[in-house]
């Protein structure tokens, strides 16, 4: 088994209701008040969560990217309190990443939010919504970003052109014996996840380690690419490319 992952494999750990997470979750936010900020995050905030976790991971692990926004998190150790995380995500939402009711955010909005964040805090970074890649181009980008210790925000786009067909891809869990087993999520689509690692198996099979809904899962890269070609498209199912180095990728 060949593996590459972020230099800090614990990623972002948040203590929520006495449980320790793997990244944040939109589902923690209150949806009791119709169309207020927390309601929108709960319903359509997967892109916002991925974005907030990205800024948080980079800022906590590279002092050159530590900002006043990251300062909203009181760093008491490896685990972030839910209260601090909630305040931080709502700040990112209000200042950099607006949510469109009914659809959340798209890839171009994510890229724009990162640009806005970098301009605000004078950070140097190459940013692009890297659409229309084939499977080999995409896997090279994912590898490159992980190698630079950058989380990869990946979109599992909607069904195209019939958005409501309900086709999607399964999420897997990695058991202690090294076996990948199906999780409770079998048809995920219209959702942002964060890739934190990549595992190469026999017969060129690749599993992507992801953070989603505050948990660690895996997706089969080939199943993801098949979904793009058969049910989705190469624009909405793509990734946010970032680099601290200003170099042309292809």
């Amino acid at each position: 088994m060949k593996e590459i992952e972020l230099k800090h494999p614990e990623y972002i750990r948040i203590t929520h209701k006495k449980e320790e997470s793997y990244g944040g979750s939109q589902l923690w936010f209150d949806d009791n008040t119709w169309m207020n900020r927390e309601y929108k995050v709960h319903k359509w905030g997967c892109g916002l969560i991925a974005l907030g976790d990205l800024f948080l991971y980079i800022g906590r692990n590279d002092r050159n990217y530590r900002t006043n926004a990251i300062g909203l998190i009181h760093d008491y150790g490896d685990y972030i309190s839910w209260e601090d995380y909630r305040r931080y995500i709502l700040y990112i939402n209000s200042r950099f990443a607006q949510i469109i009711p009914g659809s959340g955010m798209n890839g171009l909005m994510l890229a724009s939010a990162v640009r806005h964040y970098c301009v605000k805090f004078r950070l140097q970074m190459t940013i692009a919504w890297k659409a229309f890649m084939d499977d080999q181009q995409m896997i090279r980008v994912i590898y490159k970003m992980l190698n630079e210790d950058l989380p990869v925000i990946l979109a599992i786009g909607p069904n195209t052109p019939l958005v409501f067909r309900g086709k999607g891809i399964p999420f897997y869990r990695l058991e202690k014996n090294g076996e990948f087993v199906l999780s409770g999520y079998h048809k995920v689509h219209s959702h942002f996840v964060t890739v934190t690692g990549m595992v190469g198996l026999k017969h060129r099979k690749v599993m992507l380690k992801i953070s989603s809904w505050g948990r660690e899962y895996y997706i089969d890269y080939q199943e993801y690419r098949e979904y793009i070609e058969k049910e989705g498209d190469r624009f909405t199912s793509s990734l946010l490319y970032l680099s601290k180095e200003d170099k042309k990728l292809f």
Side-chain angles (χ1 to χ4, degrees), residues 19-33:
E19 294 186 2
E20 296 163 356
S21 77
Y22 187 70
S25 173
Q26 71 204 73
L27 302 180
W28 297 339
F29 289 80
D30 190 355
D31 64 344
N32 291 329
T33 304

Side-chain angles (χ1 to χ4, degrees), residues 151-165:
V152 183
I153 300 179
L154 183 75
I156 308 167
N159 298 172
T160 305
L162 302 176
V163 175
F164 300 107
R165 283 185 296 170

